[in-house]
Amino acid sequence: GVGWTPTNAMISCFDGIAKGPFGSLGDLVLIPDPAAALELDLGDRVERLMLSDIHELDGAPWGMCTRLMLKAAIARLEQVAGLSVTATFEHEFQLKGGTAAPGEAFGYQAFAAHRSLGEAVMGALSAAGMETDSFLREFGPDQFEVTVGPRDALRAADEAVFLREIVRLVAKAHGEEATFSPIQSPTGVGNGVHVHMSLRDRTGTPVTWDSNGPGELSAVASAFVAGILRDMPALVALTAPSDISYLRLTPHRWSAAYNNLGFHDREAAVRICPVTGKSPDVIARQYNFEYRAADAAASPHLVLAALIHAGCHGIEDGLTAPRPTGEDLSLLSAPELAARGVERLPKTLVAALDRFVSSRRVCGWFPIGFADVYRAHKLGELAELDGKDTAARCAAYAAVY
Ligand code: GLU
Ligand code: MG
């Protein structure tokens, strides 16, 4: 392995070190996982990287390692329900300093103008062992979406890390700069990371779909989804963890502003996605739901760990998912929302962090001390933005994500 410092947990995306429990003392070791290796041929050079787990010097897992947190969540779901999660991360990004003109939303000309970038990205993803699904010109200015096929949960999170690096490197090789930042302008469109999930039993049989269940979810998938919805106001601290993430999590942006379930509804926080299959076995394989309140400021490993723990807890508590909403929730009063079992998600990162640290259930899913360390890190990040207006905050995040 490679020596490492605990203070790493406090280094913000802006390179400041937040006040926290770690100083100059202590040592850790990064233990690389050869199963999580990436080799990227950029023509003029080959980039190689490998993901690691972070351990104490004696080999014990380090409590703040997000990849080990995901492994723990995967193990819990296996233990609680004999299930595994199949997942993929659907990413949106924008090219900086773009030249978008009216008429380019989802447009062919804009797609064609970036054909070589798209082909290079898809080629690199495929060479990295990912199952390429789609590359499209999204709705927003200079916005694209790239999706890869589903994997087991750990591999899906690893691939999300690789995909972001691949897009950034390939864009640079094309003279462009890509940003996955949650939002570039408060009046503009957000860049979401939608996390698609489905469940399989120990034999690998898909168990998400039941044609008779509400929303055609099986009982176990319904409980899993209900667990996510119940704790979503706390979970967003982990899945939408930047100051500007909360500009994106507002109504009418096709992101998520309430902890609601939707059926084919792009304003839903958890959306039951459409399938194209006709026969029951194909439908069962395709059936999946999508968590839309995540963005690329979040660690994919931490996001999936949080969602799986929430789902596990829903299964343990025997929850049932609420009926999918199908109306404009922004028009409803708080009591009307409450009658539907729905609430407005926190409107700021600070409010989300408060929900997180005050939820014993959610904090209990993570190693002791993690919630406080996480909050301190994020408060340090926010302090680095002091004095900046919204446009400057968006620019600061666009520079790092
Ligand atoms: N850009 C939207 C978001 O911020 C998602 C649009 C869509 O693909 O449905 O999540
Ligand atoms: Mg999209």
Side-chain angles (χ1 to χ4, degrees), residues 90 92 106 138-139 143 145 182 189-194 248 253-256 266 271 290 292 294:
E90 176 190 330
E92 293 172 337
F106 295 122
E138 247 286 357
F139 172 78
Q143 191 180 38
E145 177 180 299
V189 139
N191 293 307
V193 174
H194 303 162
R248 174 179 164 257
R253 281 180 194 280
W254 289 18
S255 59
R266 288 184 175 77
R271 169 185 179 240
E290 167 192 43
R292 297 173 67 87

Side-chain angles (χ1 to χ4, degrees), residues 198-209:
S198 59
L199 300 167
R200 286 172 190 265
D201 69 13
R202 287 192 179 118
T203 67
T205 306
V207 295
T208 313
W209 181 61

Side-chain angles (χ1 to χ4, degrees), residues 199-371:
L199 300 167
R200 286 172 190 265
D201 69 13
R202 287 192 179 118
T203 67
T205 306
V207 295
T208 313
W209 181 61
D210 178 346
S211 59
N212 298 314
E216 296 185 40
L217 290 175
S218 66
V220 77
S222 169
F224 189 94
V225 165
I228 292 174
L229 295 170
R230 173 175 64 178
D231 283 320
M232 195 179 283
L235 294 179
V236 288
L238 306 171
T239 67
S242 74
D243 175 61
I244 59 169
S245 296
Y246 295 83
L247 298 172
R248 174 179 164 257
L249 297 186
T250 46
H252 309 141
R253 281 180 194 280
W254 289 18
S255 59
Y258 303 86
N259 60 339
N260 65 317
L261 177 66
F263 190 78
H264 304 183
D265 178 356
R266 288 184 175 77
E267 285 271 316
V270 175
R271 169 185 179 240
I272 299 168
C273 298
V275 294
T276 54
K278 299 282 177 273
S279 65
D281 60 320
V282 178
I283 297 172
R285 265 207 318 276
Q286 293 185 341
Y287 219 70
N288 72 93
F289 48 88
E290 167 192 43
Y291 178 89
R292 297 173 67 87
D295 63 50
S299 151
H301 296 88
L302 187 52
V303 169
L304 214 40
L307 296 176
I308 293 174
H309 276 299
C312 272
H313 225 112
I315 294 172
E316 283 173 335
D317 290 350
L319 301 185
T320 306
R323 285 208 358 214
T325 55
E327 61 207 312
D328 183 349
L329 298 180
S330 71
L331 301 176
L332 302 184
S333 64
E336 286 169 327
L337 290 171
R340 289 160 179 76
V342 166
E343 65 175 294
R344 178 73 171 84
L345 292 173
K347 293 180 180 169
T348 64
L349 178 56
V350 170
L353 289 166
D354 286 346
R355 291 294 292 260
F356 172 43
V357 296
S358 61
S359 169
R360 284 182 61 185
R361 183 170 52 233
V362 177
C363 293
W365 302 337
F366 298 100
I368 291 166
F370 172 70

